[in-house]
Amino acid sequence: MKRLGTLAMACFLSAVTMAQSKLDSIQYVREIVVVSRPAMREVVPSQKLNGEMLEKLNTHSVADALRYFSGIQLKDYGGVGGIKTVNIRSMGTHHLGISYDGVQLGNAQNGQIDLGQFSLDNVEEITLYNGQKSAIFQPASDFGHAGAIYIRTKAPDFSMHNAQCTIII
């Protein structure tokens, strides 16, 4: 019995030393290819106006562009100087979350946001969600709104191939 225990111990120690010597040598790892999954599908359906569609609308403000979305009511209080507010599902303007480039807009006085003051000149995309955006990271305040409007502006292009340089002496 002692002999069998000694033999087992010798085999174990030789296996451990062989494993250690193998780890001390240079190891090569096979190439790993990472493939991305398709974009996440929206759980809540959304309505979008972007790029050429916004240019074809022939409107000047975000409020005028929102007229083309279904399910919202646009209230225009007055002419040129009046405010334009939007509500969804007849719940009032303070139940609609409006984000401009990720910044939540709000008015502490009455909860209404004048969307007539935002020009479409620099806007790339307007998205309306009937509920919350289907994103992993979003503020908790988005869950308290009946709907949400996300306004995204155009990213500046500083590449030199489009620039023309004129030097006047």
Side-chain angles (χ1 to χ4, degrees):
M1 190 70 165
K2 268 187 168 180
R3 248 182 182 190
L4 188 60
T6 308
L7 183 63
M9 186 64 129
C11 288
F12 175 72
L13 289 176
S14 65
V16 169
T17 56
M18 285 178 61
Q20 287 177 353
S21 66
K22 188 175 183 181
L23 290 178
D24 290 341
S25 63
I26 297 174
Q27 303 290 320
Y28 293 100
V29 179
R30 290 179 289 145
E31 179 181 353
I32 299 173
V33 177
V34 178
V35 180
S36 67
R37 295 184 198 171
M40 185 179 77
R41 256 187 29 187
E42 296 283 339
V43 177
V44 177
S46 64
Q47 301 176 49
K48 289 185 183 185
L49 287 174
N50 55 12
E52 287 183 22
M53 293 173 17
L54 283 172
E55 291 176 10
K56 289 179 183 178
L57 292 180
N58 196 21
T59 58
H60 300 291
S61 70
V62 170
D64 294 333
L66 289 175
R67 293 180 195 270
Y68 294 94
F69 288 133
S70 62
I72 63 171
Q73 295 87 30
L74 181 72
K75 294 182 181 177
D76 190 353
Y77 297 100
V80 177
I83 68 170
K84 296 178 183 180
T85 61
V86 176
N87 65 39
I88 190 166
R89 294 189 266 170
S90 299
M91 293 193 65
T93 59
H94 53 280
H95 287 286
L96 182 67
I98 299 173
S99 252
Y100 191 86
D101 279 340
V103 177
Q104 189 78 23
L105 301 178
N107 185 344
Q109 186 176 7
N110 57 10
Q112 296 180 348
I113 297 153
D114 182 12
L115 291 171
Q117 68 182 354
F118 296 105
S119 174
L120 277 180
D121 291 339
N122 197 29
V123 173
E124 176 67 28
E125 179 179 73
I126 302 173
T127 309
L128 170 70
Y129 289 93
N130 194 6
Q132 295 84 26
K133 186 180 191 179
S134 299
I136 295 173
F137 302 111
Q138 59 182 338
S141 62
D142 282 357
F143 292 100
H145 298 302
I149 294 175
Y150 293 92
I151 303 166
R152 188 171 51 105
T153 59
K154 295 178 183 174
D157 182 18
F158 296 113
S159 61
M160 292 304 290
H161 63 84
N162 292 334
Q164 293 180 357
C165 184
T166 305
I167 299 174
I168 301 172
I169 299 177

